[in-house]
Amino acid sequence: NIVHDTDGLPRIILTEPTGSSAEVLLDGGQVISWKNERREELLYRSTKAIWKPPKAIRGGIPVCFPQFGNFGSLEQHGFARNRLWSLDSDPSPLPLANNQSSVDLILKSTEEDLKTWPRRFELRLRISLSAGKLTLIPRVRNLDSKPFSFTFALRNYLSVSDISEVRIEGLETLDYFDNLMHRERFTEQADAITFDGEIDRVYLSTPSKIAIIDHEKKRTFALRKNGMPDAVVWNPWDKKAKALPDFGDEDYKTMLSVGSAAVETPIVLKPFEEWRGHQELSTVSSSYCSGQ
Ligand code: TA6
């Protein structure tokens, strides 16, 4: 069911029996809200978000395709997040999910986009909501007569109570590209990652589960992913936050972007082949926060 909110942007509202909800914009195919059963917003949205398509809104889960970051010649994070998607009437081979808690979106290559990225594709995204869990299944099909490659990311902006009380478990000892050091390759030290300044990294070949532990809110996000071997971690901290017009000056204290990505090894598709990724974000509220 597509509703038009006060800002006039067409969106889909997903609900499920325990009371959690999600909102998805057709603009950018972007999840813009995920609330738990206690109606707490779990995703970050900038206090200075600019709701003016085609520019992607700062927050939620931007879809980066056919390029992550400026790892290529296209605009930053590719064009998919700046396009109007539509409802996918033929999500096969995924079973047709016509309930309140799932929606299938599609973005197809246009004559306009073929000028900047001369490949014919269909980009599909299924967004499903269940109790305590938000699942995104992206798929890319090559409709061209020749192979093409792309990089991809779902850049989850998570809402946290206080970034200085957050740690990530699951990325220890991995290699990463550091965007703050001309993308040089480093190896992460052997204990959980904590935050005391700007971070902008692509962790390589990560495990299938990463835990983001918000100690103060006694909430752990679990990020489980397939088909996207890398993880992107970003917080602009104070200086960069002030430099971004659509990023609230103090917002860096209550957000952390941890995304699923395929960056180090671009995905290559033969003609008519389809790539499928899978990401599950779930939250565990606990009286204590452990790495479980
Ligand atoms: O997540 C990595 C990153 O590329 C950062 O370098 C920063 O630019 C961030 O994405 C935000 O990009 P955006 O184009 O959404 O402002």
Side-chain angles (χ1 to χ4, degrees), residues 144-166:
D144 237 354
S145 55
K146 51 191 182 311
F148 67 58
S149 69
F150 61 94
T151 52
F152 188 91
L154 296 171
R155 281 179 45 241
N156 311 298
Y157 277 99
L158 304 176
S159 172
V160 298
S161 52
D162 172 355
I163 185 65
S164 57
E165 294 287 322
V166 171

PDB file of all heavy atoms in Angstrom, residues 144-166:
ATOM      1  N   ASP A 144      22.212  -7.398 -20.884  1.00  0.00           N
ATOM      2  CA  ASP A 144      23.026  -7.008 -22.042  1.00  0.00           C
ATOM      3  C   ASP A 144      23.543  -8.241 -22.780  1.00  0.00           C
ATOM      4  O   ASP A 144      23.400  -9.375 -22.304  1.00  0.00           O
ATOM      5  CB  ASP A 144      24.220  -6.180 -21.546  1.00  0.00           C
ATOM      6  CG  ASP A 144      24.226  -4.813 -22.228  1.00  0.00           C
ATOM      7  OD1 ASP A 144      23.391  -4.610 -23.134  1.00  0.00           O
ATOM      8  OD2 ASP A 144      25.039  -3.975 -21.862  1.00  0.00           O
ATOM      9  N   SER A 145      24.175  -7.974 -23.890  1.00  0.00           N
ATOM     10  CA  SER A 145      24.720  -9.100 -24.680  1.00  0.00           C
ATOM     11  C   SER A 145      26.184  -9.356 -24.314  1.00  0.00           C
ATOM     12  O   SER A 145      26.829 -10.224 -24.867  1.00  0.00           O
ATOM     13  CB  SER A 145      24.630  -8.742 -26.161  1.00  0.00           C
ATOM     14  OG  SER A 145      25.295  -7.494 -26.340  1.00  0.00           O
ATOM     15  N   LYS A 146      26.697  -8.540 -23.348  1.00  0.00           N
ATOM     16  CA  LYS A 146      28.096  -8.764 -22.935  1.00  0.00           C
ATOM     17  C   LYS A 146      28.160  -8.674 -21.405  1.00  0.00           C
ATOM     18  O   LYS A 146      27.288  -8.086 -20.772  1.00  0.00           O
ATOM     19  CB  LYS A 146      29.021  -7.743 -23.597  1.00  0.00           C
ATOM     20  CG  LYS A 146      28.608  -6.294 -23.443  1.00  0.00           C
ATOM     21  CD  LYS A 146      29.426  -5.399 -24.361  1.00  0.00           C
ATOM     22  CE  LYS A 146      29.037  -3.941 -24.174  1.00  0.00           C
ATOM     23  NZ  LYS A 146      27.601  -3.678 -24.218  1.00  0.00           N
ATOM     24  N   PRO A 147      29.206  -9.261 -20.808  1.00  0.00           N
ATOM     25  CA  PRO A 147      29.326  -9.233 -19.347  1.00  0.00           C
ATOM     26  C   PRO A 147      29.510  -7.813 -18.848  1.00  0.00           C
ATOM     27  O   PRO A 147      29.970  -6.933 -19.594  1.00  0.00           O
ATOM     28  CB  PRO A 147      30.594 -10.056 -19.083  1.00  0.00           C
ATOM     29  CG  PRO A 147      30.892 -10.782 -20.349  1.00  0.00           C
ATOM     30  CD  PRO A 147      30.314  -9.972 -21.467  1.00  0.00           C
ATOM     31  N   PHE A 148      29.123  -7.571 -17.604  1.00  0.00           N
ATOM     32  CA  PHE A 148      29.482  -6.303 -16.964  1.00  0.00           C
ATOM     33  C   PHE A 148      29.782  -6.540 -15.484  1.00  0.00           C
ATOM     34  O   PHE A 148      29.415  -7.588 -14.931  1.00  0.00           O
ATOM     35  CB  PHE A 148      28.436  -5.202 -17.163  1.00  0.00           C
ATOM     36  CG  PHE A 148      27.091  -5.385 -16.505  1.00  0.00           C
ATOM     37  CD1 PHE A 148      26.961  -5.548 -15.111  1.00  0.00           C
ATOM     38  CD2 PHE A 148      25.923  -5.342 -17.258  1.00  0.00           C
ATOM     39  CE1 PHE A 148      25.723  -5.670 -14.520  1.00  0.00           C
ATOM     40  CE2 PHE A 148      24.658  -5.449 -16.662  1.00  0.00           C
ATOM     41  CZ  PHE A 148      24.571  -5.639 -15.296  1.00  0.00           C
ATOM     42  N   SER A 149      30.485  -5.565 -14.876  1.00  0.00           N
ATOM     43  CA  SER A 149      30.797  -5.698 -13.444  1.00  0.00           C
ATOM     44  C   SER A 149      30.310  -4.442 -12.722  1.00  0.00           C
ATOM     45  O   SER A 149      30.116  -3.387 -13.328  1.00  0.00           O
ATOM     46  CB  SER A 149      32.304  -5.885 -13.244  1.00  0.00           C
ATOM     47  OG  SER A 149      32.974  -4.680 -13.580  1.00  0.00           O
ATOM     48  N   PHE A 150      30.101  -4.579 -11.430  1.00  0.00           N
ATOM     49  CA  PHE A 150      29.635  -3.452 -10.605  1.00  0.00           C
ATOM     50  C   PHE A 150      30.076  -3.672  -9.162  1.00  0.00           C
ATOM     51  O   PHE A 150      30.419  -4.802  -8.767  1.00  0.00           O
ATOM     52  CB  PHE A 150      28.104  -3.312 -10.685  1.00  0.00           C
ATOM     53  CG  PHE A 150      27.352  -4.512 -10.176  1.00  0.00           C
ATOM     54  CD1 PHE A 150      26.899  -4.581  -8.869  1.00  0.00           C
ATOM     55  CD2 PHE A 150      27.103  -5.604 -11.010  1.00  0.00           C
ATOM     56  CE1 PHE A 150      26.213  -5.687  -8.403  1.00  0.00           C
ATOM     57  CE2 PHE A 150      26.419  -6.724 -10.552  1.00  0.00           C
ATOM     58  CZ  PHE A 150      25.971  -6.772  -9.254  1.00  0.00           C
ATOM     59  N   THR A 151      30.099  -2.591  -8.402  1.00  0.00           N
ATOM     60  CA  THR A 151      30.271  -2.725  -6.946  1.00  0.00           C
ATOM     61  C   THR A 151      28.962  -2.271  -6.319  1.00  0.00           C
ATOM     62  O   THR A 151      28.146  -1.608  -6.971  1.00  0.00           O
ATOM     63  CB  THR A 151      31.453  -1.861  -6.424  1.00  0.00           C
ATOM     64  OG1 THR A 151      31.290  -0.522  -6.878  1.00  0.00           O
ATOM     65  CG2 THR A 151      32.784  -2.426  -6.908  1.00  0.00           C
ATOM     66  N   PHE A 152      28.728  -2.666  -5.086  1.00  0.00           N
ATOM     67  CA  PHE A 152      27.386  -2.542  -4.508  1.00  0.00           C
ATOM     68  C   PHE A 152      27.492  -2.373  -2.992  1.00  0.00           C
ATOM     69  O   PHE A 152      28.427  -2.894  -2.356  1.00  0.00           O
ATOM     70  CB  PHE A 152      26.593  -3.819  -4.816  1.00  0.00           C
ATOM     71  CG  PHE A 152      25.142  -3.763  -4.438  1.00  0.00           C
ATOM     72  CD1 PHE A 152      24.185  -3.329  -5.343  1.00  0.00           C
ATOM     73  CD2 PHE A 152      24.728  -4.121  -3.153  1.00  0.00           C
ATOM     74  CE1 PHE A 152      22.846  -3.269  -4.993  1.00  0.00           C
ATOM     75  CE2 PHE A 152      23.395  -4.056  -2.799  1.00  0.00           C
ATOM     76  CZ  PHE A 152      22.448  -3.616  -3.715  1.00  0.00           C
ATOM     77  N   ALA A 153      26.558  -1.634  -2.417  1.00  0.00           N
ATOM     78  CA  ALA A 153      26.501  -1.569  -0.945  1.00  0.00           C
ATOM     79  C   ALA A 153      25.095  -1.190  -0.496  1.00  0.00           C
ATOM     80  O   ALA A 153      24.363  -0.489  -1.209  1.00  0.00           O
ATOM     81  CB  ALA A 153      27.494  -0.546  -0.400  1.00  0.00           C
ATOM     82  N   LEU A 154      24.738  -1.707   0.677  1.00  0.00           N
ATOM     83  CA  LEU A 154      23.546  -1.245   1.400  1.00  0.00           C
ATOM     84  C   LEU A 154      24.101  -0.524   2.623  1.00  0.00           C
ATOM     85  O   LEU A 154      24.618  -1.173   3.543  1.00  0.00           O
ATOM     86  CB  LEU A 154      22.685  -2.447   1.832  1.00  0.00           C
ATOM     87  CG  LEU A 154      22.092  -3.285   0.701  1.00  0.00           C
ATOM     88  CD1 LEU A 154      21.465  -4.557   1.262  1.00  0.00           C
ATOM     89  CD2 LEU A 154      21.078  -2.497  -0.129  1.00  0.00           C
ATOM     90  N   ARG A 155      24.048   0.806   2.592  1.00  0.00           N
ATOM     91  CA  ARG A 155      24.754   1.552   3.648  1.00  0.00           C
ATOM     92  C   ARG A 155      23.818   1.861   4.811  1.00  0.00           C
ATOM     93  O   ARG A 155      23.251   2.929   4.912  1.00  0.00           O
ATOM     94  CB  ARG A 155      25.364   2.821   3.052  1.00  0.00           C
ATOM     95  CG  ARG A 155      26.651   2.535   2.311  1.00  0.00           C
ATOM     96  CD  ARG A 155      27.283   3.776   1.689  1.00  0.00           C
ATOM     97  NE  ARG A 155      27.292   4.896   2.600  1.00  0.00           N
ATOM     98  CZ  ARG A 155      26.674   6.033   2.349  1.00  0.00           C
ATOM     99  NH1 ARG A 155      25.983   6.179   1.236  1.00  0.00           N
ATOM    100  NH2 ARG A 155      26.740   7.024   3.195  1.00  0.00           N
ATOM    101  N   ASN A 156      23.707   0.915   5.733  1.00  0.00           N
ATOM    102  CA  ASN A 156      22.794   1.031   6.860  1.00  0.00           C
ATOM    103  C   ASN A 156      23.235   2.143   7.819  1.00  0.00           C
ATOM    104  O   ASN A 156      24.315   2.065   8.405  1.00  0.00           O
ATOM    105  CB  ASN A 156      22.759  -0.300   7.639  1.00  0.00           C
ATOM    106  CG  ASN A 156      22.556  -1.479   6.708  1.00  0.00           C
ATOM    107  OD1 ASN A 156      21.542  -1.592   6.029  1.00  0.00           O
ATOM    108  ND2 ASN A 156      23.560  -2.347   6.643  1.00  0.00           N
ATOM    109  N   TYR A 157      22.386   3.170   7.969  1.00  0.00           N
ATOM    110  CA  TYR A 157      22.653   4.228   8.971  1.00  0.00           C
ATOM    111  C   TYR A 157      21.927   3.807  10.256  1.00  0.00           C
ATOM    112  O   TYR A 157      20.699   3.838  10.325  1.00  0.00           O
ATOM    113  CB  TYR A 157      22.057   5.550   8.492  1.00  0.00           C
ATOM    114  CG  TYR A 157      22.889   6.352   7.518  1.00  0.00           C
ATOM    115  CD1 TYR A 157      22.640   6.300   6.158  1.00  0.00           C
ATOM    116  CD2 TYR A 157      23.893   7.199   7.961  1.00  0.00           C
ATOM    117  CE1 TYR A 157      23.381   7.059   5.249  1.00  0.00           C
ATOM    118  CE2 TYR A 157      24.634   7.980   7.067  1.00  0.00           C
ATOM    119  CZ  TYR A 157      24.367   7.897   5.713  1.00  0.00           C
ATOM    120  OH  TYR A 157      25.094   8.659   4.824  1.00  0.00           O
ATOM    121  N   LEU A 158      22.671   3.398  11.259  1.00  0.00           N
ATOM    122  CA  LEU A 158      22.054   2.922  12.504  1.00  0.00           C
ATOM    123  C   LEU A 158      21.957   4.067  13.510  1.00  0.00           C
ATOM    124  O   LEU A 158      22.842   4.939  13.567  1.00  0.00           O
ATOM    125  CB  LEU A 158      22.901   1.793  13.097  1.00  0.00           C
ATOM    126  CG  LEU A 158      23.166   0.594  12.162  1.00  0.00           C
ATOM    127  CD1 LEU A 158      24.096  -0.401  12.844  1.00  0.00           C
ATOM    128  CD2 LEU A 158      21.864  -0.042  11.710  1.00  0.00           C
ATOM    129  N   SER A 159      20.881   4.045  14.280  1.00  0.00           N
ATOM    130  CA  SER A 159      20.706   5.016  15.353  1.00  0.00           C
ATOM    131  C   SER A 159      21.321   4.436  16.625  1.00  0.00           C
ATOM    132  O   SER A 159      21.019   3.295  17.000  1.00  0.00           O
ATOM    133  CB  SER A 159      19.192   5.270  15.563  1.00  0.00           C
ATOM    134  OG  SER A 159      19.021   6.059  16.720  1.00  0.00           O
ATOM    135  N   VAL A 160      22.215   5.182  17.242  1.00  0.00           N
ATOM    136  CA  VAL A 160      22.843   4.707  18.488  1.00  0.00           C
ATOM    137  C   VAL A 160      22.682   5.792  19.563  1.00  0.00           C
ATOM    138  O   VAL A 160      22.405   6.958  19.253  1.00  0.00           O
ATOM    139  CB  VAL A 160      24.340   4.373  18.289  1.00  0.00           C
ATOM    140  CG1 VAL A 160      24.530   3.248  17.288  1.00  0.00           C
ATOM    141  CG2 VAL A 160      25.128   5.617  17.869  1.00  0.00           C
ATOM    142  N   SER A 161      22.829   5.385  20.823  1.00  0.00           N
ATOM    143  CA  SER A 161      22.595   6.363  21.904  1.00  0.00           C
ATOM    144  C   SER A 161      23.773   7.332  22.010  1.00  0.00           C
ATOM    145  O   SER A 161      23.593   8.526  22.141  1.00  0.00           O
ATOM    146  CB  SER A 161      22.409   5.625  23.229  1.00  0.00           C
ATOM    147  OG  SER A 161      23.500   4.738  23.398  1.00  0.00           O
ATOM    148  N   ASP A 162      24.996   6.780  21.960  1.00  0.00           N
ATOM    149  CA  ASP A 162      26.179   7.631  22.110  1.00  0.00           C
ATOM    150  C   ASP A 162      27.340   6.894  21.449  1.00  0.00           C
ATOM    151  O   ASP A 162      27.768   5.845  21.936  1.00  0.00           O
ATOM    152  CB  ASP A 162      26.451   7.851  23.607  1.00  0.00           C
ATOM    153  CG  ASP A 162      27.783   8.555  23.826  1.00  0.00           C
ATOM    154  OD1 ASP A 162      28.510   8.763  22.826  1.00  0.00           O
ATOM    155  OD2 ASP A 162      28.113   8.871  24.968  1.00  0.00           O
ATOM    156  N   ILE A 163      27.829   7.416  20.350  1.00  0.00           N
ATOM    157  CA  ILE A 163      28.852   6.717  19.537  1.00  0.00           C
ATOM    158  C   ILE A 163      30.053   6.324  20.400  1.00  0.00           C
ATOM    159  O   ILE A 163      30.689   5.298  20.142  1.00  0.00           O
ATOM    160  CB  ILE A 163      29.278   7.587  18.334  1.00  0.00           C
ATOM    161  CG1 ILE A 163      30.237   6.829  17.408  1.00  0.00           C
ATOM    162  CG2 ILE A 163      29.893   8.898  18.803  1.00  0.00           C
ATOM    163  CD1 ILE A 163      29.626   5.625  16.715  1.00  0.00           C
ATOM    164  N   SER A 164      30.323   7.095  21.459  1.00  0.00           N
ATOM    165  CA  SER A 164      31.520   6.737  22.258  1.00  0.00           C
ATOM    166  C   SER A 164      31.245   5.511  23.146  1.00  0.00           C
ATOM    167  O   SER A 164      32.137   5.000  23.794  1.00  0.00           O
ATOM    168  CB  SER A 164      31.941   7.938  23.110  1.00  0.00           C
ATOM    169  OG  SER A 164      30.854   8.323  23.920  1.00  0.00           O
ATOM    170  N   GLU A 165      29.983   5.051  23.148  1.00  0.00           N
ATOM    171  CA  GLU A 165      29.635   3.851  23.936  1.00  0.00           C
ATOM    172  C   GLU A 165      29.312   2.671  23.021  1.00  0.00           C
ATOM    173  O   GLU A 165      28.646   1.727  23.437  1.00  0.00           O
ATOM    174  CB  GLU A 165      28.377   4.150  24.771  1.00  0.00           C
ATOM    175  CG  GLU A 165      28.553   5.193  25.852  1.00  0.00           C
ATOM    176  CD  GLU A 165      29.364   4.647  27.017  1.00  0.00           C
ATOM    177  OE1 GLU A 165      29.187   3.471  27.360  1.00  0.00           O
ATOM    178  OE2 GLU A 165      30.212   5.399  27.513  1.00  0.00           O
ATOM    179  N   VAL A 166      29.736   2.781  21.761  1.00  0.00           N
ATOM    180  CA  VAL A 166      29.372   1.715  20.795  1.00  0.00           C
ATOM    181  C   VAL A 166      30.632   0.930  20.428  1.00  0.00           C
ATOM    182  O   VAL A 166      31.727   1.496  20.355  1.00  0.00           O
ATOM    183  CB  VAL A 166      28.761   2.348  19.513  1.00  0.00           C
ATOM    184  CG1 VAL A 166      28.579   1.315  18.412  1.00  0.00           C
ATOM    185  CG2 VAL A 166      27.430   3.023  19.848  1.00  0.00           C
TER     186      VAL A 166
END
